[in-house]
Amino acid sequence: MGGELVETAPQLSYTEQFYNCFPFYLSIGMTYDQYWNSDCLLVKYYREAFDIRKKRENESLWLQGAYIYDALCAVSPVLHAFAKAGTKPQPYLDAPYPLTKKESEDIEASKRKADRQRARAMFEAWASGLDLPEHKSKGE
Amino acid sequence: MAKQITFEFEGKNYTLEFTRKSIEIMERQGFVIGDIVDKPMLTLPALFAGAFLAHHRSIKRKEIDAIYEKMTNKEELLQKLAEMYNEPLEALMEEPEENEGNVEWGASW
């Protein structure tokens, strides 16, 4: 009883364990010299950097999926088997997704500015068609 | 930054540190860290000598032994050297991700 606590598994030497992990660190960009001769804690930072890179790649793939989804949604009206003749696809996004809060605020601001200019142009066009006394006096 | 022991001996500065390469060299020469419990008097000088490999590879064993003779507080030195020796291996082990199943533990000293 309790024999499993007494029997020891064959122990790997430190060197063997170093060699076991070596290919992984080479694969994430460490050099031979960094792994074997430099500060032994460097591996931790390489691992952290690797995690950040993985996360970034994952986000990039997710973003690509989102663009593909949007593109499919845009063309879906014409992909419909019983689509009416003359059906046109929706236009694709006119700009990439904003990635930062500032970018998103800038886009909102420029959208608002464009809306204001359009409204002003419409108002001016409408106002110029009116038979106002001011126009009359200018004409005279 | 990896753990290091620094001292000055006869006007020269020394930095003791273990790299994976120095541990590989030591193990190739027959050093076994497990012997620290059974044969501490044999292991400590070898461990001390191995710590020179990283920064003072050309130093002679005779000089190392002379320095070792003059080192004070050998018990603490052994403890620190053992910690330093384990560091290159410990750095390769990932901490488990935080979750409810992790075992919290404490020591009484």
Side-chain angles (χ1 to χ4, degrees):
Chain A
M1 224 170 101
E4 70 277 8
L5 295 176
V6 179
E7 272 180 39
T8 52
Q11 261 192 333
L12 287 176
S13 70
Y14 281 35
T15 306
E16 283 170 312
Q17 296 185 61
F18 294 157
Y19 274 105
N20 284 345
C21 298
F22 187 35
F24 169 72
Y25 288 97
L26 283 178
S27 79
I28 61 172
M30 255 185 130
T31 64
Y32 176 92
D33 196 50
Q34 282 173 330
Y35 184 79
W36 289 101
N37 298 315
S38 291
D39 188 326
C40 67
L41 298 183
L42 201 56
V43 288
K44 284 188 180 182
Y45 301 104
Y46 264 89
R47 265 201 318 266
E48 280 178 30
F50 174 61
D51 287 343
I52 292 168
R53 204 159 51 232
K54 257 194 322 196
K55 197 175 167 227
R56 200 165 50 220
E57 277 169 14
N58 194 25
E59 281 169 359
S60 158
L61 289 170
W62 181 88
L63 193 63
Q64 196 180 30
Y67 281 123
I68 292 169
Y69 179 85
D70 267 348
L72 284 174
C73 286
V75 295
S76 63
V78 289
L79 294 177
H80 197 273
F82 305 108
K84 285 180 187 167
T87 307
K88 285 184 178 165
Q90 297 287 315
Y92 185 59
L93 299 164
D94 52 3
Y97 300 142
L99 293 179
T100 61
K101 200 180 170 193
K102 194 187 172 302
E103 234 180 306
S104 144
E105 282 168 359
D106 288 349
I107 289 172
E108 273 303 310
S110 63
K111 224 184 249 178
R112 275 199 302 271
K113 196 179 169 190
D115 282 350
R116 270 201 309 274
Q117 278 173 344
R118 203 166 45 243
R120 191 179 164 184
M122 278 169 71
F123 178 77
E124 278 173 359
W126 171 75
S128 65
L130 286 180
D131 195 18
L132 294 173
E134 202 181 313
H135 289 164
K136 277 179 189 168
S137 63
K138 270 182 190 173
E140 286 163 7
Chain B
M1 184 85 183
K3 290 187 177 90
Q4 294 179 331
I5 292 173
T6 54
F7 60 89
E8 194 198 316
F9 181 75
E10 292 181 347
K12 199 178 167 191
N13 291 318
Y14 291 89
T15 304
L16 305 189
E17 185 182 341
F18 288 105
T19 61
R20 294 188 182 86
K21 183 50 77 180
S22 54
I23 291 174
E24 188 199 6
I25 293 167
M26 287 167 73
E27 288 193 334
R28 222 187 303 130
Q29 289 169 351
F31 181 83
V32 180
I33 191 67
D35 290 347
I36 211 161
V37 182
D38 306 325
K39 316 168 206 167
M41 297 315 284
L42 281 175
T43 314
L44 179 55
L47 192 60
F48 185 69
F52 283 79
L53 287 169
H55 297 282
H56 312 281
R57 196 166 281 201
S58 56
I59 190 171
K60 290 192 172 71
R61 182 62 193 247
K62 225 177 176 181
E63 284 176 72
I64 295 173
D65 290 342
I67 297 169
Y68 179 69
E69 284 303 311
K70 300 278 182 190
M71 293 301 274
T72 55
N73 201 357
K74 290 208 172 59
E75 200 179 321
E76 201 186 334
L77 178 67
L78 170 65
Q79 200 187 321
K80 294 289 179 201
L81 283 171
E83 269 181 48
M84 273 168 54
Y85 187 89
N86 281 325
E87 205 181 23
L89 184 62
E90 279 170 6
L92 295 175
M93 293 168 188
E94 273 189 86
E95 284 285 311
E97 281 181 20
E98 280 183 30
N99 66 47
E100 287 175 10
N102 288 351
V103 179
E104 296 282 335
W105 66 277
S108 63
W109 79 98

